[in-house]
């Protein structure tokens, strides 16, 4: 793979806090290696700003390995950028060429207020998990895995749903700012396993109620969420969520 350097124009959203109007500022970065990650490129830009006596750009990051879900940038109109099933931190600059202009914004959603610049407050997801995304367990040693026989197909489906990293790209890419893909993944991966059975009925209604309280929009099945999800979470989980919700409500055991 050919290595090359490039000069880029960056249009970055700057905003002091949730109350500030905010706006785009334009920066030039030079000699960016094609082997850098997108966040490493931002590190270079921030070093440049600090050396110029200016305030660096605030952005969220942690593991930089595509695992934690912290990185959250809307890049040229796409959540996490142009590469399919790739987080911002795993996007590399070889996706761009010399002279490109890149527009970078934070997630846009009422439930994700801007903290500063490109960092948003995603604690709404935490509160949804607190409402029901857990299982009951006894203290003491864990049971041997073979004591709980699980159908292979269900185990695979649960594993695929559990791959959700809670980054919020589904919300950012949805025209309604819906969190249904995130919520459905969290409900599905527990509903498919026997460990999730004790709270199965109350879990789905409590989590849906909390999602509505947080101000997320409704799902209208455009499937932009799956298309932009860096982990490829399937919208089939939304079908399962709806099924679980109906079952819970009609069972009368939803609280």
């Amino acid at each position: 793979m050919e290595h090359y350097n490039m000069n880029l124009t960056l249009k970055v959203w700057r905003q002091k806090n949730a109350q500030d109007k905010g706006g785009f500022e334009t920066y030039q970065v030079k000699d960016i290696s094609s082997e850098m990650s997108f966040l490493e490129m931002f590190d270079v830009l921030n070093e440049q700003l600090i050396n110029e006596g200016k305030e660096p750009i605030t952005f969220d990051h942690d593991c930089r390995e595509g695992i934690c879900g912290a990185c959250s940038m809307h890049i040229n109109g796409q959540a996490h950028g142009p590469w399919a099933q790739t987080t911002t931190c795993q996007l590399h600059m070889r996706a761009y060429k010399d002279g490109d202009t890149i527009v970078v914004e934070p997630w846009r959603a009422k439930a994700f207020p801007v903290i500063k610049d490109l960092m948003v407050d995603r604690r709404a997801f935490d509160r949804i998990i607190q409402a029901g995304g857990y299982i009951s367990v006894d203290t003491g040693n864990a049971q041997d895995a073979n004591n709980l026989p699980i159908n292979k197909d269900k185990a695979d489906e649960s594993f695929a749903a559990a791959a959700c990293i809670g980054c919020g790209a589904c919300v950012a890419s949805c025209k309604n700012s819906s969190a249904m893909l995130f919520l459905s993944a969290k409900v599905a991966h527990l509903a498919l396993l026997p460990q999730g059975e004790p709270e199965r009925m109350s879990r789905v209604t409590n989590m849906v109620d909390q999602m509505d309280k947080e101000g997320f929009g409704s799902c209208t099945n455009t499937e932009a969420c799956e298309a932009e999800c860096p982990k490829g979470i399937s919208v089939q989980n939304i079908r399962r969520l709806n099924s679980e919700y109906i079952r819970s409500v009609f069972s009368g055991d939803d609280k």
Side-chain angles (χ1 to χ4, degrees):
M1 185 177 297
E2 181 184 2
H3 170 268
Y4 58 94
N5 289 344
M6 67 193 88
N7 299 329
L8 301 166
T9 299
L10 302 177
K11 294 184 177 181
V12 182
W13 185 263
R14 303 301 305 266
Q15 185 173 340
K16 293 180 181 179
N17 51 49
Q19 289 71 44
D20 184 40
K21 184 178 179 180
F24 285 104
E25 292 189 15
T26 301
Y27 305 99
Q28 305 293 327
V29 288
K30 300 181 182 297
D31 296 324
I32 298 298
S33 169
S34 59
E35 298 306 303
M36 283 183 179
S37 72
F38 200 84
L39 295 189
E40 287 172 337
M41 181 270 292
F42 259 82
D43 291 337
V44 170
L45 172 58
N46 274 344
E47 287 183 11
Q48 175 181 311
L49 293 175
I50 291 170
N51 290 334
E52 293 173 357
K54 298 177 181 178
E55 187 171 7
I57 298 164
T58 299
F59 61 93
D60 216 348
H61 64 99
D62 193 357
C63 75
R64 298 199 179 200
E65 294 179 346
I67 299 170
C68 71
C71 57
S72 50
M73 295 183 184
H74 223 248
I75 304 167
N76 285 347
Q78 286 185 274
H80 291 299
W83 285 358
Q85 296 188 21
T86 304
T87 56
T88 300
C89 62
Q90 293 296 293
L91 174 67
H92 280 66
M93 297 312 298
R94 56 181 175 270
Y96 302 95
K97 60 183 185 298
D98 185 48
D100 278 354
T101 297
I102 306 174
V103 180
V104 188
E105 305 172 70
W107 289 165
R108 303 287 190 183
K110 176 183 177 182
F112 289 162
V114 172
I115 296 175
K116 187 175 182 180
D117 297 337
L118 302 176
M119 179 182 284
V120 298
D121 184 349
R122 287 175 291 179
R123 286 180 293 177
F125 273 7
D126 296 333
R127 291 187 289 270
I128 291 173
I129 294 296
Q130 289 169 359
Y134 53 82
I135 61 171
S136 293
V137 293
D138 295 325
T139 58
N141 293 334
Q143 293 185 18
D144 188 276
N146 292 330
N147 289 341
L148 296 171
I150 301 171
N151 179 280
K152 179 64 163 59
D153 292 337
K154 286 191 174 182
D156 289 345
E157 287 182 55
S158 177
F159 188 87
C164 170
I165 57 176
C167 66
C170 51
V171 175
S173 60
C174 176
K175 62 182 181 180
N176 305 319
S177 298
S178 172
M180 285 289 279
L181 190 68
F182 163 79
L183 175 56
S184 67
K186 300 305 178 185
V187 168
H189 92 262
L190 293 176
L192 286 160
L193 299 176
Q195 292 93 333
E197 193 65 31
E199 294 89 7
R200 185 173 182 178
M201 294 296 100
S202 60
R203 174 184 299 114
V204 62
T205 50
N206 290 342
M207 294 180 77
V208 168
D209 288 348
Q210 186 63 41
M211 176 183 69
D212 291 340
K213 289 177 184 177
E214 298 294 343
F216 292 103
S218 300
C219 175
T220 49
N221 297 310
T222 56
E223 301 186 12
C225 52
E226 179 181 335
E228 299 295 341
C229 176
K231 296 301 176 181
I233 304 298
S234 172
V235 293
Q236 289 300 314
N237 288 302
I238 298 178
R239 176 196 61 77
R240 185 177 297 280
L241 169 65
N242 291 333
S243 176
E244 291 288 322
Y245 188 84
I246 292 170
R247 176 181 176 183
S248 174
V249 171
F250 281 93
S251 72
D253 188 24
D254 56 336
K255 297 296 181 184

